[in-house]
Amino acid sequence: MIVATGVHKRYGTLDVLKGIDLTVQRGEVTCLIGPSGSGKSTFLRCVNRLERIQGGRLAVDGELMGYKTKRGRLHELREDEIAAQRAQIGMVFQHFHLFAHMTALENVVEAPLRVRKVKREDAVAQGTALLARVGLEDKLDAYPSQLSGGQQQRVAIARALAMEPKLMLFDEPTSALDPETVGEVLDVIRDLAADGMTMLVVTHEMGFAREVADTVVFMDEGRVIESGPPDELLERPAHPRTREFLARVL
Ligand code: ADP
Ligand code: MG
């Protein structure tokens, strides 16, 4: 679903991604771990083309993000074409970014109505079902300020799912939550995994990574240091930097 080869990203003179090679298989959960500042969020933002890359290639579902090939040559996509690519990728952030003046249901139906041009009654039926799926069937008419952090994050997940994405990106989805609501959000992500959704999840929840991930990728200083199945990478890391990181977080 994601094939990144030699991805480079700079901000000014700061090299943030120094040649990332990373593959995410369809239907699998990949957890991305690593110290703060190692480039995890930047990589996610490159995957859905919120950032453009300066070197390498990044393909999602076989399409280069931001480019198309015509007569064997690469052409940059227009902004609306990039938006269409991005619409197929759901993103969930640490801070939920819900629309504060809209109810949970309104938050969820907004993009289907405006972007996918779905009929209102269909969008409402789908939105209601999605909010039920994340356990919020009794909160359709609640405003974000009336919801706990865990509930707001579940609305944000339902909102991303409403676009029927083929890939979900999560950037530390539980880092801003009170400890008692972390579990309910991880449960929703676990259910999505069981349903076969392809997901790339930046997380510090090592227990979750161990249980749910098919592959764990450890990044440090803009590079992938190592990757592998969770029981190998988390129990028997090959690289000293991975061992040092895990000793600090486990
Ligand atoms: P992580 O998510 O692993 O904590 P980030 O991807 O957020 O790391 O950041 C990697 C590096 O890139 C950091 O040094 C950060 O300060 C820098 N960085 C991130 N976004 C920007 C930006 N928009 N402009 C300049 N530097 C940035
Ligand atoms: Mg980050």
Side-chain angles (χ1 to χ4, degrees):
M1 183 59 81
I2 303 176
V3 180
T5 43
V7 168
H8 278 265
K9 174 72 197 168
R10 276 187 300 279
Y11 291 111
T13 56
L14 182 67
D15 262 331
V16 176
L17 301 179
K18 303 169 184 166
I20 299 288
D21 295 321
L22 196 160
T23 304
V24 173
Q25 301 293 338
R26 204 177 299 277
E28 293 201 342
V29 180
T30 301
C31 284
L32 189 51
I33 64 171
S36 175
S38 56
K40 305 180 300 295
S41 296
T42 302
F43 181 72
L44 287 198
R45 294 168 57 80
C46 290
V47 170
N48 70 359
R49 219 7 169 91
L50 288 169
E51 299 283 356
R52 54 185 308 149
I53 61 178
Q54 280 112 16
R57 292 197 167 209
L58 222 168
V60 173
D61 198 20
E63 274 182 46
L64 283 181
M65 291 304 288
Y67 297 91
K68 64 183 163 196
T69 28
K70 229 163 71 185
R71 289 183 225 101
R73 302 175 88 185
L74 277 188
H75 292 265
E76 282 212 37
L77 294 178
R78 297 187 311 265
E79 267 312 309
D80 62 314
E81 294 171 317
I82 292 174
Q85 281 188 328
R86 187 177 298 137
Q88 303 178 50
I89 303 173
M91 178 119 183
V92 174
F93 302 91
Q94 181 176 354
H95 301 284
F96 332 114
H97 300 304
L98 295 178
F99 302 115
H101 61 291
M102 292 184 187
T103 65
L105 184 59
E106 286 166 353
N107 266 279
V108 175
V109 299
E110 173 70 10
L113 288 176
R114 281 182 198 268
V115 183
R116 286 175 50 224
K117 313 285 185 203
V118 175
K119 274 195 299 186
R120 172 163 280 276
E121 64 186 78
D122 294 340
V124 166
Q126 184 211 27
T128 304
L130 283 171
L131 283 167
R133 185 171 173 192
V134 299
L136 294 174
E137 55 281 341
D138 56 341
K139 298 291 182 186
L140 302 182
D141 298 321
Y143 286 89
S145 61
Q146 300 169 315
L147 298 172
S148 72
Q151 291 170 333
Q152 289 182 63
Q153 190 61 300
R154 286 187 280 151
V155 174
I157 294 171
R159 182 176 62 175
L161 292 173
M163 288 295 284
E164 299 181 354
K166 53 190 176 189
L167 168 67
M168 288 281 286
L169 307 175
F170 292 85
D171 195 354
E172 298 193 33
T174 62
S175 293
L177 300 179
D178 294 329
E180 69 267 27
T181 67
V182 166
E184 68 197 43
V185 171
L186 294 179
D187 284 345
V188 167
I189 301 175
R190 200 179 276 118
D191 281 351
L192 288 175
D195 273 3
M197 175 64 78
T198 309
M199 296 189 276
L200 179 56
V201 185
V202 175
T203 186
H204 296 295
E205 300 285 341
M206 295 301 150
F208 173 80
R210 178 176 288 128
E211 180 205 342
V212 178
D214 297 288
T215 303
V216 179
V217 178
F218 174 65
M219 265 180 78
D220 193 16
E221 296 182 355
R223 292 195 172 86
V224 170
I225 306 299
E226 62 179 303
S227 65
D231 49 348
E232 280 177 27
L233 189 127
L234 299 176
E235 311 296 339
R236 296 181 294 282
H239 201 287
R241 271 148 89 178
T242 317
R243 284 201 286 275
E244 193 186 308
F245 173 75
L246 291 173
R248 271 185 279 134
V249 299
L250 283 177

